[in-house]
Amino acid sequence: MAQLTLEKLTKRFGTSIGVEGLDLAVHEGELVALLGPSGCGKTTTLRMVAGFLPPTSGRVLFDREDVTHLPAYKRATGMVFQSYALFPHMSAADNVGFGLEMRGINAVERKIKIADALKLVRLSHLADRLPRQLSGGQQQRVALARALVINPRIFLLDEPLSNLDAKLRAEVRLEIRALQQRLGLTTLMVTHDREEALTMADRLVVMEGGRVRQIGTPQELYDSPKDAFVADFVGRCNIVAGRRANESQFRTNGGLLLPVDVASGERGDADAFALRPERIAVVAGESGEVRGRVLAITYMGAQSEYVVAIGDETLVAVRPTPDASEPLATLKPNDPVSLEWDRKVPRLVPQTAS
Ligand code: ATP
């Protein structure tokens, strides 16, 4: 497997920006996910790596080889599409072998490679079935086998799970990740699903408007987002506008004081307080530093969500659902509560990209 390097990769469509100045290295055996809202440039990036779309400027490298102007069929990328894109009239085995035939591999060798690839995705027993005789998950595994059978230098996944139902999605997600790690596949994946990105990727690239907002491990992005957009995109987040008041407090635009230590790397232009709902504890009564009233409580099984009005702000806390014996279990709308958090946890970030 190769390392994938993108250098100042740019695609413009007339005057509109598809992707602008993207720098990224996907190391050998690493899975990097491009994550962002519709139209942020994820698919455009993937298509430039696959060779389906010529960049306006910048370079694509597989190891040290500049493939920017190499046609798609010479790049040896294995790609899995959201739609599977299987040939409907061909068996699973023939679908897997199609790329090998195109590459002039003889029938004997083809047979061995097809069998190996189908075994990898645990479909050996269904080799003769047509796509319509397979479930969605099985079709997706044929598509995976087809991408892997050519020994790709780079593996590309374009929203690979979005056509599967929730339960199957979780299963196939684990399966793809296990395969990717076992085979050491250098992988670039496109998704707009944050759960998919957080659970599958070694690193994430959060994009918006064709530009990178932040690159990092799922935990870095979740715990230390660079701005409010990233904070909100990688998970639910309370974001409150205002400014730092002093070394231990943030003043909201409504004049409320929220406890927060000075964080390392905190910037002077920070104008938002960001805190994840699960980092906020709810205490019955008005004994704490941050006091408010319950607006709503939503039972979600193992967890419960508390929407609390603090002055003219609203904060959301998510806690493990309390046992019937705990004081929180009897809490109801309009009751007074205090909210507590470790003052090292909130991030003060700019609301807009710098
Ligand atoms: P989605 O999640 O909806 O697939 P995306 O992040 O993959 O979105 P892209 O498809 O890469 O986004 O599109 C990035 C931008 O480039 C968008 O503004 C889109 O309208 C524009 N764009 C993409 N392809 C073309 C094209 N062929 N001609 C003109 N504009 C295009």
Side-chain angles (χ1 to χ4, degrees), residues 53-88:
L53 194 66
T56 307
S57 60
R59 301 204 300 164
V60 177
L61 304 167
F62 291 0
D63 285 330
R64 295 220 178 107
E65 185 192 353
D66 184 343
V67 300
T68 316
H69 303 291
L70 205 64
Y73 71 94
K74 287 195 176 159
R75 291 196 187 189
T77 55
M79 186 147 174
V80 177
F81 301 90
Q82 167 179 359
S83 59
Y84 318 141
L86 300 177
F87 296 113

mmCIF file of all heavy atoms in Angstrom, residues 53-88:
data_model
loop_
_atom_site.group_PDB
_atom_site.id
_atom_site.type_symbol
_atom_site.label_atom_id
_atom_site.label_comp_id
_atom_site.label_asym_id
_atom_site.label_seq_id
_atom_site.Cartn_x
_atom_site.Cartn_y
_atom_site.Cartn_z
ATOM 1 N N LEU A 53 -11.636 13.262 -12.149
ATOM 2 C CA LEU A 53 -11.814 14.708 -12.286
ATOM 3 C C LEU A 53 -10.435 15.374 -12.239
ATOM 4 O O LEU A 53 -9.686 15.160 -11.281
ATOM 5 C CB LEU A 53 -12.669 15.176 -11.089
ATOM 6 C CG LEU A 53 -13.293 16.548 -11.119
ATOM 7 C CD1 LEU A 53 -14.351 16.635 -12.206
ATOM 8 C CD2 LEU A 53 -13.940 16.842 -9.762
ATOM 9 N N PRO A 54 -10.067 16.140 -13.278
ATOM 10 C CA PRO A 54 -8.750 16.772 -13.239
ATOM 11 C C PRO A 54 -8.749 17.988 -12.299
ATOM 12 O O PRO A 54 -9.674 18.796 -12.348
ATOM 13 C CB PRO A 54 -8.530 17.215 -14.694
ATOM 14 C CG PRO A 54 -9.901 17.346 -15.265
ATOM 15 C CD PRO A 54 -10.809 16.420 -14.509
ATOM 16 N N PRO A 55 -7.736 18.123 -11.445
ATOM 17 C CA PRO A 55 -7.681 19.301 -10.573
ATOM 18 C C PRO A 55 -7.416 20.570 -11.374
ATOM 19 O O PRO A 55 -6.837 20.508 -12.463
ATOM 20 C CB PRO A 55 -6.482 19.025 -9.658
ATOM 21 C CG PRO A 55 -6.056 17.630 -9.912
ATOM 22 C CD PRO A 55 -6.620 17.204 -11.222
ATOM 23 N N THR A 56 -7.838 21.702 -10.835
ATOM 24 C CA THR A 56 -7.495 23.000 -11.439
ATOM 25 C C THR A 56 -6.024 23.289 -11.162
ATOM 26 O O THR A 56 -5.290 23.760 -12.025
ATOM 27 C CB THR A 56 -8.381 24.121 -10.836
ATOM 28 O OG1 THR A 56 -9.745 23.726 -10.962
ATOM 29 C CG2 THR A 56 -8.143 25.450 -11.529
ATOM 30 N N SER A 57 -5.573 22.975 -9.953
ATOM 31 C CA SER A 57 -4.152 23.080 -9.611
ATOM 32 C C SER A 57 -3.861 22.180 -8.424
ATOM 33 O O SER A 57 -4.769 21.638 -7.800
ATOM 34 C CB SER A 57 -3.778 24.532 -9.303
ATOM 35 O OG SER A 57 -4.538 24.993 -8.207
ATOM 36 N N GLY A 58 -2.572 22.037 -8.101
ATOM 37 C CA GLY A 58 -2.166 21.169 -7.000
ATOM 38 C C GLY A 58 -1.813 19.778 -7.505
ATOM 39 O O GLY A 58 -1.909 19.501 -8.705
ATOM 40 N N ARG A 59 -1.375 18.917 -6.581
ATOM 41 C CA ARG A 59 -0.879 17.596 -6.974
ATOM 42 C C ARG A 59 -1.469 16.469 -6.131
ATOM 43 O O ARG A 59 -1.812 16.663 -4.971
ATOM 44 C CB ARG A 59 0.647 17.540 -6.813
ATOM 45 C CG ARG A 59 1.388 18.586 -7.632
ATOM 46 C CD ARG A 59 2.811 18.161 -7.917
ATOM 47 N NE ARG A 59 3.605 17.937 -6.708
ATOM 48 C CZ ARG A 59 4.759 17.273 -6.698
ATOM 49 N NH1 ARG A 59 5.242 16.765 -7.820
ATOM 50 N NH2 ARG A 59 5.440 17.128 -5.579
ATOM 51 N N VAL A 60 -1.550 15.286 -6.763
ATOM 52 C CA VAL A 60 -1.914 14.052 -6.063
ATOM 53 C C VAL A 60 -0.734 13.104 -6.194
ATOM 54 O O VAL A 60 -0.261 12.853 -7.311
ATOM 55 C CB VAL A 60 -3.153 13.386 -6.706
ATOM 56 C CG1 VAL A 60 -3.483 12.070 -6.006
ATOM 57 C CG2 VAL A 60 -4.352 14.322 -6.686
ATOM 58 N N LEU A 61 -0.223 12.600 -5.058
ATOM 59 C CA LEU A 61 0.911 11.687 -5.082
ATOM 60 C C LEU A 61 0.552 10.365 -4.431
ATOM 61 O O LEU A 61 -0.081 10.342 -3.369
ATOM 62 C CB LEU A 61 2.100 12.286 -4.306
ATOM 63 C CG LEU A 61 2.612 13.660 -4.732
ATOM 64 C CD1 LEU A 61 3.545 14.238 -3.685
ATOM 65 C CD2 LEU A 61 3.336 13.565 -6.060
ATOM 66 N N PHE A 62 0.940 9.260 -5.076
ATOM 67 C CA PHE A 62 0.889 7.937 -4.446
ATOM 68 C C PHE A 62 2.346 7.610 -4.124
ATOM 69 O O PHE A 62 3.154 7.449 -5.046
ATOM 70 C CB PHE A 62 0.314 6.889 -5.391
ATOM 71 C CG PHE A 62 -1.167 7.042 -5.690
ATOM 72 C CD1 PHE A 62 -1.928 8.078 -5.133
ATOM 73 C CD2 PHE A 62 -1.808 6.141 -6.533
ATOM 74 C CE1 PHE A 62 -3.287 8.198 -5.419
ATOM 75 C CE2 PHE A 62 -3.169 6.253 -6.810
ATOM 76 C CZ PHE A 62 -3.903 7.287 -6.267
ATOM 77 N N ASP A 63 2.694 7.511 -2.866
ATOM 78 C CA ASP A 63 4.098 7.519 -2.445
ATOM 79 C C ASP A 63 4.753 8.740 -3.099
ATOM 80 O O ASP A 63 4.206 9.818 -3.018
ATOM 81 C CB ASP A 63 4.801 6.195 -2.788
ATOM 82 C CG ASP A 63 4.360 5.082 -1.828
ATOM 83 O OD1 ASP A 63 4.026 5.404 -0.668
ATOM 84 O OD2 ASP A 63 4.331 3.917 -2.231
ATOM 85 N N ARG A 64 5.876 8.535 -3.811
ATOM 86 C CA ARG A 64 6.510 9.738 -4.402
ATOM 87 C C ARG A 64 6.071 9.970 -5.839
ATOM 88 O O ARG A 64 6.501 10.912 -6.484
ATOM 89 C CB ARG A 64 8.030 9.586 -4.364
ATOM 90 C CG ARG A 64 8.530 9.545 -2.940
ATOM 91 C CD ARG A 64 9.819 10.331 -2.776
ATOM 92 N NE ARG A 64 10.212 10.273 -1.381
ATOM 93 C CZ ARG A 64 11.227 9.550 -0.932
ATOM 94 N NH1 ARG A 64 11.971 8.875 -1.766
ATOM 95 N NH2 ARG A 64 11.512 9.530 0.343
ATOM 96 N N GLU A 65 5.215 9.078 -6.328
ATOM 97 C CA GLU A 65 4.820 9.184 -7.737
ATOM 98 C C GLU A 65 3.698 10.214 -7.911
ATOM 99 O O GLU A 65 2.656 10.136 -7.245
ATOM 100 C CB GLU A 65 4.346 7.816 -8.244
ATOM 101 C CG GLU A 65 4.041 7.824 -9.727
ATOM 102 C CD GLU A 65 3.288 6.570 -10.180
ATOM 103 O OE1 GLU A 65 3.131 5.645 -9.372
ATOM 104 O OE2 GLU A 65 2.849 6.550 -11.337
ATOM 105 N N ASP A 66 3.941 11.165 -8.806
ATOM 106 C CA ASP A 66 2.933 12.184 -9.101
ATOM 107 C C ASP A 66 1.921 11.584 -10.073
ATOM 108 O O ASP A 66 2.240 11.307 -11.227
ATOM 109 C CB ASP A 66 3.636 13.396 -9.733
ATOM 110 C CG ASP A 66 2.657 14.545 -9.976
ATOM 111 O OD1 ASP A 66 1.427 14.308 -9.962
ATOM 112 O OD2 ASP A 66 3.123 15.673 -10.181
ATOM 113 N N VAL A 67 0.681 11.352 -9.583
ATOM 114 C CA VAL A 67 -0.329 10.720 -10.446
ATOM 115 C C VAL A 67 -1.368 11.745 -10.927
ATOM 116 O O VAL A 67 -2.390 11.360 -11.512
ATOM 117 C CB VAL A 67 -1.055 9.552 -9.722
ATOM 118 C CG1 VAL A 67 -0.063 8.474 -9.301
ATOM 119 C CG2 VAL A 67 -1.842 10.040 -8.508
ATOM 120 N N THR A 68 -1.100 13.027 -10.685
ATOM 121 C CA THR A 68 -2.099 14.066 -10.970
ATOM 122 C C THR A 68 -2.687 13.941 -12.377
ATOM 123 O O THR A 68 -3.870 14.168 -12.584
ATOM 124 C CB THR A 68 -1.483 15.470 -10.789
ATOM 125 O OG1 THR A 68 -0.711 15.466 -9.597
ATOM 126 C CG2 THR A 68 -2.548 16.550 -10.718
ATOM 127 N N HIS A 69 -1.842 13.604 -13.335
ATOM 128 C CA HIS A 69 -2.331 13.566 -14.711
ATOM 129 C C HIS A 69 -2.462 12.146 -15.265
ATOM 130 O O HIS A 69 -2.637 11.952 -16.464
ATOM 131 C CB HIS A 69 -1.420 14.428 -15.606
ATOM 132 C CG HIS A 69 -1.350 15.841 -15.109
ATOM 133 N ND1 HIS A 69 -2.415 16.711 -15.170
ATOM 134 C CD2 HIS A 69 -0.358 16.506 -14.478
ATOM 135 C CE1 HIS A 69 -2.079 17.857 -14.605
ATOM 136 N NE2 HIS A 69 -0.835 17.761 -14.175
ATOM 137 N N LEU A 70 -2.374 11.182 -14.376
ATOM 138 C CA LEU A 70 -2.515 9.781 -14.783
ATOM 139 C C LEU A 70 -4.005 9.449 -14.905
ATOM 140 O O LEU A 70 -4.786 9.780 -14.026
ATOM 141 C CB LEU A 70 -1.873 8.906 -13.690
ATOM 142 C CG LEU A 70 -1.348 7.530 -14.059
ATOM 143 C CD1 LEU A 70 -0.188 7.646 -15.054
ATOM 144 C CD2 LEU A 70 -0.858 6.832 -12.782
ATOM 145 N N PRO A 71 -4.422 8.768 -16.001
ATOM 146 C CA PRO A 71 -5.846 8.423 -16.107
ATOM 147 C C PRO A 71 -6.264 7.437 -15.010
ATOM 148 O O PRO A 71 -5.432 6.701 -14.475
ATOM 149 C CB PRO A 71 -5.961 7.775 -17.488
ATOM 150 C CG PRO A 71 -4.583 7.465 -17.927
ATOM 151 C CD PRO A 71 -3.641 8.345 -17.167
ATOM 152 N N ALA A 72 -7.565 7.436 -14.700
ATOM 153 C CA ALA A 72 -8.089 6.641 -13.581
ATOM 154 C C ALA A 72 -7.663 5.175 -13.660
ATOM 155 O O ALA A 72 -7.252 4.593 -12.656
ATOM 156 C CB ALA A 72 -9.610 6.755 -13.542
ATOM 157 N N TYR A 73 -7.764 4.574 -14.834
ATOM 158 C CA TYR A 73 -7.520 3.133 -14.925
ATOM 159 C C TYR A 73 -6.067 2.750 -14.683
ATOM 160 O O TYR A 73 -5.757 1.587 -14.485
ATOM 161 C CB TYR A 73 -8.029 2.579 -16.269
ATOM 162 C CG TYR A 73 -7.214 2.995 -17.477
ATOM 163 C CD1 TYR A 73 -6.191 2.187 -17.962
ATOM 164 C CD2 TYR A 73 -7.473 4.190 -18.130
ATOM 165 C CE1 TYR A 73 -5.438 2.566 -19.073
ATOM 166 C CE2 TYR A 73 -6.732 4.586 -19.230
ATOM 167 C CZ TYR A 73 -5.709 3.769 -19.701
ATOM 168 O OH TYR A 73 -4.967 4.166 -20.781
ATOM 169 N N LYS A 74 -5.169 3.745 -14.696
ATOM 170 C CA LYS A 74 -3.764 3.436 -14.434
ATOM 171 C C LYS A 74 -3.362 3.706 -12.979
ATOM 172 O O LYS A 74 -2.210 3.558 -12.607
ATOM 173 C CB LYS A 74 -2.869 4.270 -15.359
ATOM 174 C CG LYS A 74 -2.893 3.803 -16.796
ATOM 175 C CD LYS A 74 -1.743 4.418 -17.572
ATOM 176 C CE LYS A 74 -1.688 3.883 -18.982
ATOM 177 N NZ LYS A 74 -0.941 4.807 -19.858
ATOM 178 N N ARG A 75 -4.313 4.154 -12.160
ATOM 179 C CA ARG A 75 -3.941 4.549 -10.796
ATOM 180 C C ARG A 75 -3.993 3.419 -9.786
ATOM 181 O O ARG A 75 -3.527 3.551 -8.671
ATOM 182 C CB ARG A 75 -4.856 5.665 -10.311
ATOM 183 C CG ARG A 75 -4.616 6.944 -11.055
ATOM 184 C CD ARG A 75 -5.216 8.141 -10.359
ATOM 185 N NE ARG A 75 -5.081 9.295 -11.212
ATOM 186 C CZ ARG A 75 -5.338 10.521 -10.854
ATOM 187 N NH1 ARG A 75 -5.796 10.772 -9.633
ATOM 188 N NH2 ARG A 75 -5.175 11.520 -11.683
ATOM 189 N N ALA A 76 -4.644 2.343 -10.118
ATOM 190 C CA ALA A 76 -4.803 1.219 -9.180
ATOM 191 C C ALA A 76 -5.423 1.659 -7.853
ATOM 192 O O ALA A 76 -4.912 1.347 -6.790
ATOM 193 C CB ALA A 76 -3.466 0.515 -8.954
ATOM 194 N N THR A 77 -6.516 2.404 -7.967
ATOM 195 C CA THR A 77 -7.279 2.686 -6.751
ATOM 196 C C THR A 77 -8.456 1.708 -6.715
ATOM 197 O O THR A 77 -9.008 1.358 -7.756
ATOM 198 C CB THR A 77 -7.851 4.129 -6.745
ATOM 199 O OG1 THR A 77 -8.610 4.318 -7.930
ATOM 200 C CG2 THR A 77 -6.753 5.158 -6.656
ATOM 201 N N GLY A 78 -8.808 1.275 -5.520
ATOM 202 C CA GLY A 78 -9.998 0.440 -5.357
ATOM 203 C C GLY A 78 -11.078 1.313 -4.766
ATOM 204 O O GLY A 78 -10.869 1.942 -3.736
ATOM 205 N N MET A 79 -12.223 1.407 -5.463
ATOM 206 C CA MET A 79 -13.236 2.348 -4.987
ATOM 207 C C MET A 79 -14.548 1.636 -4.689
ATOM 208 O O MET A 79 -14.994 0.784 -5.458
ATOM 209 C CB MET A 79 -13.448 3.415 -6.056
ATOM 210 C CG MET A 79 -14.366 4.517 -5.617
ATOM 211 S SD MET A 79 -13.864 6.072 -6.353
ATOM 212 C CE MET A 79 -15.185 7.135 -5.826
ATOM 213 N N VAL A 80 -15.161 1.995 -3.573
ATOM 214 C CA VAL A 80 -16.476 1.461 -3.219
ATOM 215 C C VAL A 80 -17.460 2.622 -3.180
ATOM 216 O O VAL A 80 -17.244 3.606 -2.473
ATOM 217 C CB VAL A 80 -16.445 0.752 -1.847
ATOM 218 C CG1 VAL A 80 -17.830 0.259 -1.469
ATOM 219 C CG2 VAL A 80 -15.465 -0.408 -1.892
ATOM 220 N N PHE A 81 -18.521 2.477 -3.972
ATOM 221 C CA PHE A 81 -19.499 3.565 -4.088
ATOM 222 C C PHE A 81 -20.693 3.300 -3.183
ATOM 223 O O PHE A 81 -21.022 2.148 -2.876
ATOM 224 C CB PHE A 81 -20.006 3.675 -5.523
ATOM 225 C CG PHE A 81 -18.930 3.941 -6.531
ATOM 226 C CD1 PHE A 81 -18.270 2.893 -7.154
ATOM 227 C CD2 PHE A 81 -18.575 5.236 -6.865
ATOM 228 C CE1 PHE A 81 -17.269 3.126 -8.091
ATOM 229 C CE2 PHE A 81 -17.574 5.480 -7.801
ATOM 230 C CZ PHE A 81 -16.932 4.426 -8.413
ATOM 231 N N GLN A 82 -21.373 4.382 -2.875
ATOM 232 C CA GLN A 82 -22.612 4.323 -2.103
ATOM 233 C C GLN A 82 -23.641 3.417 -2.787
ATOM 234 O O GLN A 82 -24.360 2.665 -2.153
ATOM 235 C CB GLN A 82 -23.098 5.764 -2.008
ATOM 236 C CG GLN A 82 -24.471 5.982 -1.544
ATOM 237 C CD GLN A 82 -24.744 7.479 -1.499
ATOM 238 O OE1 GLN A 82 -23.885 8.308 -1.806
ATOM 239 N NE2 GLN A 82 -25.921 7.842 -1.115
ATOM 240 N N SER A 83 -23.700 3.481 -4.108
ATOM 241 C CA SER A 83 -24.718 2.748 -4.866
ATOM 242 C C SER A 83 -24.291 1.324 -5.219
ATOM 243 O O SER A 83 -24.994 0.640 -5.941
ATOM 244 C CB SER A 83 -24.982 3.505 -6.159
ATOM 245 O OG SER A 83 -23.762 3.601 -6.877
ATOM 246 N N TYR A 84 -23.122 0.893 -4.726
ATOM 247 C CA TYR A 84 -22.511 -0.412 -5.032
ATOM 248 C C TYR A 84 -22.034 -0.504 -6.480
ATOM 249 O O TYR A 84 -20.988 -1.045 -6.747
ATOM 250 C CB TYR A 84 -23.434 -1.614 -4.769
ATOM 251 C CG TYR A 84 -24.238 -1.540 -3.499
ATOM 252 C CD1 TYR A 84 -25.539 -1.983 -3.444
ATOM 253 C CD2 TYR A 84 -23.681 -0.997 -2.334
ATOM 254 C CE1 TYR A 84 -26.277 -1.918 -2.272
ATOM 255 C CE2 TYR A 84 -24.405 -0.924 -1.166
ATOM 256 C CZ TYR A 84 -25.708 -1.377 -1.144
ATOM 257 O OH TYR A 84 -26.432 -1.297 -0.005
ATOM 258 N N ALA A 85 -22.869 0.013 -7.433
ATOM 259 C CA ALA A 85 -22.503 -0.005 -8.856
ATOM 260 C C ALA A 85 -22.093 -1.392 -9.348
ATOM 261 O O ALA A 85 -21.099 -1.543 -10.043
ATOM 262 C CB ALA A 85 -21.393 1.020 -9.128
ATOM 263 N N LEU A 86 -22.873 -2.414 -8.994
ATOM 264 C CA LEU A 86 -22.605 -3.768 -9.501
ATOM 265 C C LEU A 86 -23.298 -3.949 -10.848
ATOM 266 O O LEU A 86 -24.327 -3.323 -11.106
ATOM 267 C CB LEU A 86 -23.140 -4.820 -8.522
ATOM 268 C CG LEU A 86 -22.546 -4.798 -7.114
ATOM 269 C CD1 LEU A 86 -23.221 -5.842 -6.235
ATOM 270 C CD2 LEU A 86 -21.045 -5.021 -7.151
ATOM 271 N N PHE A 87 -22.753 -4.815 -11.691
ATOM 272 C CA PHE A 87 -23.436 -5.136 -12.952
ATOM 273 C C PHE A 87 -24.568 -6.096 -12.631
ATOM 274 O O PHE A 87 -24.320 -7.199 -12.115
ATOM 275 C CB PHE A 87 -22.462 -5.783 -13.938
ATOM 276 C CG PHE A 87 -21.348 -4.865 -14.350
ATOM 277 C CD1 PHE A 87 -20.044 -5.137 -13.972
ATOM 278 C CD2 PHE A 87 -21.608 -3.721 -15.104
ATOM 279 C CE1 PHE A 87 -19.005 -4.286 -14.347
ATOM 280 C CE2 PHE A 87 -20.577 -2.869 -15.476
ATOM 281 C CZ PHE A 87 -19.275 -3.138 -15.095
ATOM 282 N N PRO A 88 -25.823 -5.745 -12.959
ATOM 283 C CA PRO A 88 -26.966 -6.548 -12.515
ATOM 284 C C PRO A 88 -27.049 -7.922 -13.158
ATOM 285 O O PRO A 88 -27.582 -8.852 -12.564
ATOM 286 C CB PRO A 88 -28.180 -5.697 -12.913
ATOM 287 C CG PRO A 88 -27.680 -4.709 -13.914
ATOM 288 C CD PRO A 88 -26.219 -4.522 -13.665
#
